[in-house]
Amino acid sequence: MAEHLKLRDVSVHYGAFTAAHNVSLSLQAGEIGCLLGPSGCGKTTLLRAIGGFEPLSAGEISLQGSTISGVGNTLPPEQRQVGMVFQDFALFPHLDVGRNVAFGLSYMNRSQRAARVSDMLELVGLGQSGRAYPHELSGGQQQRVALARALAPKPRIVLLDEPFSGLDSELREQLAGEVRQLLQRNQMTALLVTHDQHEAFAMADQITLINGGTVVQSGTPDDLYHRPIDAFTAGFIGEGAVIAVQVNGDGTLDFGLGLLQAPVAAQYAGRSAGLLLRPTDIAYAAHSSVSLPVAARAFRGAQYLYQLQLPDGQLILCLAPVSTNVSVGGLLPVSCHLDALSLFEPS
Ligand code: ADP
Ligand code: MG
């Protein structure tokens, strides 16, 4: 199947500064992608390049098989049929909700326009709010209006730049899930930009992790969480600890929780490496022969997130039922359950 959106080796410079370097990614029609990465890594720059607001220094962007950006060749934003949703919603404060949604629909006649506005407001659950003004709505409702406005002209792709970061964290993940359903019901292709992995997980089929303007790893949320390519990805996605280990010549390794038999990538045999341990890899085991001292613990409702000290002093995390209730300084009996070993070059 042909790619709906494709970036091939895209670079964007601001003067001598390289904000994005050799970025490639592709989305199939109806897929939701995400550019995830720390603040300043180049996410907005890439989204603006797709929207037609930044020229490319190298590479090419195509939409539905035709080039929309190349070097010295930038199709103007208004000819791209791209919908944009921003962090601050960017609603027009002096227009009511209906007129905000109607904004991009001047090519329609009055009755078509009224019908589309009403459909869009129904779609985002604001069918009764067409006459309200933005300031009369909650943050979550305003963001839904912004989404309705972006979807109303039936764009070829929707670009969302940190659309939930103005909302409180409780609401963010929920709204991200709702927006995902809404986009899917409409078979929309979308690209989300966020620094928040929970938003990325709640919304995206495909995540492209960016650091310092370049792609670190692309894959499904499951790929990035369970098969991180390096220590940066392991540290950025999910909770966990990367500890220094010595891999034996036969490919087994021993780090104070017993011998791990899982076959290790041959490249690390007889060498030191970084090993990723997620909090769920270390389990409370009442009858284990290994008990580790609790260095710290955090209450997580049904569970404690324990920080445990290995015999060599390195710290690991363990998620265990609250009923374990071991205080700092006490001993927690544990065992290690690794489905797959994530090993990295030592830092
Ligand atoms: P993100 O959205 O991931 O936070 P941005 O794409 O906004 O990152 O910015 C990437 C880098 O480019 C940052 O170092 C930022 O300071 C720089 N930058 C962004 N816009 C401009 C600009 N118009 N001129 C010069 N530098 C810029
Ligand atoms: Mg940004």
Side-chain angles (χ1 to χ4, degrees):
M1 197 161 95
E3 279 106 356
H4 188 84
L5 173 74
K6 189 172 172 65
L7 276 67
R8 187 182 54 74
D9 296 332
V10 166
S11 297
V12 180
H13 291 115
Y14 296 115
F17 178 73
T18 305
H21 182 66
N22 269 354
V23 172
S24 295
L25 70 91
S26 56
L27 284 179
Q28 308 288 335
E31 231 178 4
I32 302 174
C34 175
L35 298 173
L36 175 66
S39 177
C41 74
K43 305 180 297 293
T44 293
T45 298
L46 286 162
L47 212 66
R48 288 175 53 81
I50 300 166
F53 302 100
E54 298 293 345
L56 305 192
S57 319
E60 190 181 53
I61 302 175
S62 59
L63 190 60
Q64 293 181 312
S66 60
T67 302
I68 54 173
S69 287
V71 178
N73 163 26
T74 309
L75 187 70
E78 64 276 12
Q79 291 176 28
R80 296 187 171 217
Q81 295 169 266
V82 162
M84 308 264 309
V85 178
F86 304 95
Q87 172 180 350
D88 57 4
F89 320 139
L91 297 177
F92 304 111
H94 59 289
L95 298 182
D96 68 24
V97 163
R99 289 196 171 90
N100 265 280
V101 175
F103 186 74
L105 304 179
S106 51
Y107 62 94
M108 292 181 170
N109 70 36
R110 185 184 288 259
S111 66
Q112 285 174 324
R113 193 157 60 226
R116 177 67 61 77
V117 167
S118 135
D119 283 353
M120 286 298 131
L121 288 177
E122 281 302 326
L123 187 73
V124 299
L126 290 171
Q128 309 303 313
S129 303
R131 291 284 161 81
Y133 282 83
H135 73 268
E136 297 173 299
L137 303 179
S138 71
Q141 290 171 326
Q142 289 183 44
Q143 192 53 296
R144 279 185 234 155
V145 176
L147 190 68
R149 183 178 61 183
L151 292 175
K154 300 210 158 117
R156 298 195 284 168
I157 189 168
V158 184
L159 306 175
L160 306 109
D161 193 352
E162 310 262 5
F164 312 112
S165 53
L167 308 170
D168 60 60
S169 61
E170 198 98 323
L171 198 60
R172 260 186 241 163
E173 226 173 309
Q174 184 199 330
L175 200 63
E178 285 175 19
V179 169
R180 174 181 170 79
Q181 286 180 11
L182 210 146
L183 291 169
Q184 286 194 316
R185 274 208 303 278
N186 289 274
Q187 288 151 14
M188 280 300 314
T189 313
L191 186 62
L192 165 77
V193 154
T194 182
H195 64 276
D196 182 326
Q197 55 173 311
H198 300 294
E199 276 175 36
F201 285 173
M203 208 167 136
D205 302 304
Q206 291 290 330
I207 297 175
T208 301
L209 183 64
I210 311 271
N211 192 27
T214 64
V215 174
V216 182
Q217 185 171 1
S218 298
T220 62
D222 188 73
D223 288 334
L224 269 66
Y225 187 83
H226 290 291
R227 290 169 291 284
I229 197 170
D230 63 9
F232 171 79
T233 309
F236 195 82
I237 306 280
E239 287 178 316
V242 177
I243 61 165
V245 294
Q246 183 65 34
V247 180
N248 300 324
D250 65 358
T252 59
L253 64 89
D254 188 346
F255 64 99
L257 273 177
L259 197 65
L260 288 184
Q261 297 292 352
V264 163
Q267 72 202 89
Y268 293 104
R271 294 209 289 130
S272 54
L275 170 69
L276 170 64
L277 293 172
R278 297 289 190 199
T280 45
D281 294 334
I282 309 298
Y284 168 71
H287 303 293
S288 173
S289 57
V290 182
S291 290
L292 295 176
V294 173
R297 71 175 193 186
F299 183 60
R300 287 283 172 88
Q303 289 155 319
Y304 277 119
L305 181 66
Y306 287 104
Q307 197 174 43
L308 305 175
Q309 191 167 33
L310 292 171
D312 65 5
Q314 298 193 83
L315 296 169
I316 60 174
L317 297 172
C318 169
L319 208 52
V322 282
S323 56
T324 52
N325 198 22
V326 178
S327 312
V328 172
L331 289 173
L332 187 73
V334 289
S335 60
C336 182
H337 302 273
L338 286 174
D339 291 334
L341 284 184
S342 291
L343 285 170
F344 313 113
E345 289 301 324
S347 50

